[in-house]
Amino acid sequence: FIFFNEYIISILKIKNMHFIQLLVSFIFKMEILQNNIDELNATIKITVAKADYQDSVEASLKNIRKKANVRGFRPGQAPMGLIKREYLQPVMAEEINKVLTKSLFDYLKDNKVDYLGEPLPSLREKADVDFSKDSDYTFYFDIALAPKVEATIDSSLALTQYVIDVDEANVEKAMDGYRNAAGKHEPADVSGEESFLKGEVYQVMDDGSRNPDGLSNKTSMLISRIENAEQKAAFIGKKAGDEVRFNLKEVFKEAEAKSVLGNEMADFNTINPNFAFKIGEITNFVKGELNQDVYDRFFGKDKVHNEDELKAEIRSQFEETYSKESDYKLMIDAKDELIKASAIQIPLEFMKRWLLTLEQYKDFDEAKLMEQFPSLESDIKWNLIENKIVKDNNIEVSEDEELEE
């Protein structure tokens, strides 16, 4: 190496050793080699030379020395040898990693290597790295090569566009929904199946008397929500001031029971279910009339004037919704057909390994990932096809179109 320096000096007759060192460093820069294992897998070998990282390591060490407070030395005056003993290896690891990462992705970009996922430390070749040695280092990375994609959209692609009829029953149901939205609760003398009750719920003794130490709460309930027919019947035909005894577990589910009791219930499974409800107020829901106020409220002033126009508006809304659903179905069918026709192969083992490095799959093991992998594999293939279609047809999306989407 010294001989080489002297040889260069003798030829160029230059006495500036620093210049020669820079020249030699340039000549002996890192080496990057790509070995294609097959059409879908490759290994990249990167040899990082001392010249690639030495300057940045020295600069980092000098910066550390300026800030270091070492006992026995003034701030920033500790010997460099002491700083190196403490920080050299971690600094080298950090700086070499920076150089390595930049060089790897620059190589992929400059050489137009079309790859999937991200490069991963190689499982085929093992790097023997010891940062305690100030020398060259060799690293290996596995990459997944993007497969060639054939995506032809022509008359050979047979698809069905569905037209979904608007069912009259759905129109009537929607109209009834507007009546409900315009309705209100009105006082009633006697409870019915649809009545809304306000009052007090409390625990009772076996003889039906109020338990002074039991749970109680001011609450409300809707009779129609009671699923048990026998228990529901006990609440129908009652007046304000009446008391209805009931079984808590047969009238309410656990979450409902907690809500009714104001979250005071400790354990639904062990609670004594003997309760009573003292009715304080009864109201029945009365549907509203379809009039101009309702039309203006939901559709804007003077957009709808009568029930026929309301039906037409509802039908139009259904048609718009069904059209979007039909378009979505068409897109899914087209996606499936194009994936099938393209017969794309991807490096499955590499992709599984790469997916497990992503944040959203950090808690997955391989078995759990495999449950979702068919869908993920389909998404990867579709992304390749999509990119191919965009490239082949020179499709560009403007910022305005992105915002609209």
Side-chain angles (χ1 to χ4, degrees), residues 34-44 104-105 108 112-122 124 141-148 345-355 373 380 384:
Q34 179 177 331
N35 176 30
N36 290 349
I37 309 302
D38 53 40
E39 291 184 352
L40 300 175
N41 296 277
T43 297
I44 294 180
L104 174 59
F105 286 100
L108 295 172
K112 297 184 169 98
V113 179
D114 198 3
Y115 61 96
L116 303 178
E118 298 287 343
L120 296 175
S122 180
R124 302 184 190 95
F141 295 90
D142 293 335
I143 63 168
L145 299 175
K148 293 181 180 178
Q345 298 296 316
I346 63 173
L348 299 180
E349 293 306 315
F350 180 93
M351 297 309 294
K352 292 174 193 174
R353 184 178 161 217
W354 171 66
L355 286 168
F373 195 76
I380 292 168
L384 290 167

Side-chain angles (χ1 to χ4, degrees), residues 14 24 47 49 64 77 99 113 157 160 184 193 203 207 212 258 261 276 287 298 316 323 360 369 402:
I14 295 176
V24 172
T47 299
I64 290 172
Q77 297 300 312
V99 171
V113 179
L157 185 64
T160 301
K184 60 182 179 179
E193 188 170 347
Q203 224 162 5
D207 62 2
K258 285 183 178 180
L261 294 172
K287 294 181 180 180
F298 289 103
S316 175
S323 177
Q360 60 263 47
L369 179 69
E402 286 184 1

Side-chain angles (χ1 to χ4, degrees), residues 155-183:
S155 58
S156 65
L157 185 64
L159 299 169
T160 301
Q161 174 82 63
Y162 293 93
V163 177
I164 306 173
D165 292 331
V166 179
D167 184 25
E168 193 63 30
N170 285 334
V171 175
E172 290 296 334
K173 186 177 179 179
M175 291 184 67
D176 210 39
Y178 287 110
R179 292 187 184 97
N180 287 334

Side-chain angles (χ1 to χ4, degrees), residues 180-400:
N180 287 334
K184 60 182 179 179
H185 286 274
E186 296 183 354
D189 295 328
V190 180
S191 62
E193 188 170 347
E194 300 294 328
S195 294
F196 184 75
L197 307 179
K198 289 185 179 181
E200 183 182 16
V201 63
Y202 47 84
Q203 224 162 5
V204 296
M205 311 283 278
D206 291 338
D207 62 2
S209 61
R210 181 167 182 158
N211 185 345
D213 299 319
L215 297 175
S216 65
N217 188 43
K218 300 281 188 181
T219 189
S220 59
M221 60 183 292
L222 189 61
I223 296 177
S224 61
R225 290 183 61 88
I226 302 174
E227 296 179 2
N228 185 292
E230 184 180 349
Q231 294 288 328
K232 178 187 287 187
F235 286 87
I236 296 174
K238 303 300 180 183
K239 298 179 180 180
D242 287 349
E243 180 187 74
V244 181
R245 293 182 60 186
F246 67 96
N247 185 304
L248 182 76
K249 296 179 182 179
E250 294 180 1
V251 169
F252 301 111
K253 294 181 173 65
E254 183 173 358
E256 294 172 327
K258 285 183 178 180
S259 177
V260 165
L261 294 172
N263 293 315
E264 295 296 325
M265 180 180 65
D267 187 354
F268 183 73
N269 295 317
T270 60
I271 191 173
N272 185 329
N274 295 326
F275 276 80
F277 188 91
K278 185 68 172 288
I279 300 174
E281 181 183 334
I282 304 171
T283 58
N284 288 335
F285 181 77
V286 179
K287 294 181 180 180
E289 293 183 2
L290 295 176
N291 53 36
Q292 195 60 48
D293 288 340
V294 173
Y295 301 146
D296 290 349
R297 173 182 165 192
F298 289 103
F299 299 99
K301 188 171 180 58
D302 292 330
K303 295 294 179 64
V304 174
H305 303 91
N306 52 56
E307 290 193 14
D308 287 339
E309 290 183 7
L310 174 61
K311 283 185 178 182
E313 181 66 28
I314 291 172
R315 186 176 293 278
S316 175
Q317 291 176 352
F318 272 119
E319 287 173 350
E320 182 179 354
T321 300
Y322 290 164
S323 177
K324 290 179 180 178
E325 291 177 356
S326 178
D327 289 345
Y328 180 73
K329 170 65 175 170
L330 181 66
M331 186 191 74
I332 295 299
D333 290 347
K335 172 182 172 181
D336 291 342
E337 288 300 317
L338 284 168
I339 289 174
K340 189 187 302 180
S342 64
I344 297 173
Q345 298 296 316
I346 63 173
L348 299 180
E349 293 306 315
F350 180 93
M351 297 309 294
K352 292 174 193 174
R353 184 178 161 217
W354 171 66
L355 286 168
L356 288 172
T357 68
L358 302 183
E359 180 67 21
Q360 60 263 47
Y361 302 112
K362 66 179 181 180
D363 297 325
F364 281 49
D365 56 19
E366 187 170 350
K368 189 175 180 181
L369 179 69
M370 287 306 298
E371 294 175 6
Q372 298 187 16
F373 195 76
S375 174
L376 295 171
E377 181 182 2
S378 177
D379 288 343
I380 292 168
K381 290 179 178 180
W382 176 241
N383 183 255
L384 290 167
I385 293 171
E386 223 175 8
N387 291 339
K388 176 69 172 174
I389 293 172
V390 168
K391 183 178 179 181
D392 288 351
N393 294 277
N394 297 315
I395 298 173
E396 294 183 1
V397 180
S398 68
E399 289 186 16
D400 291 340

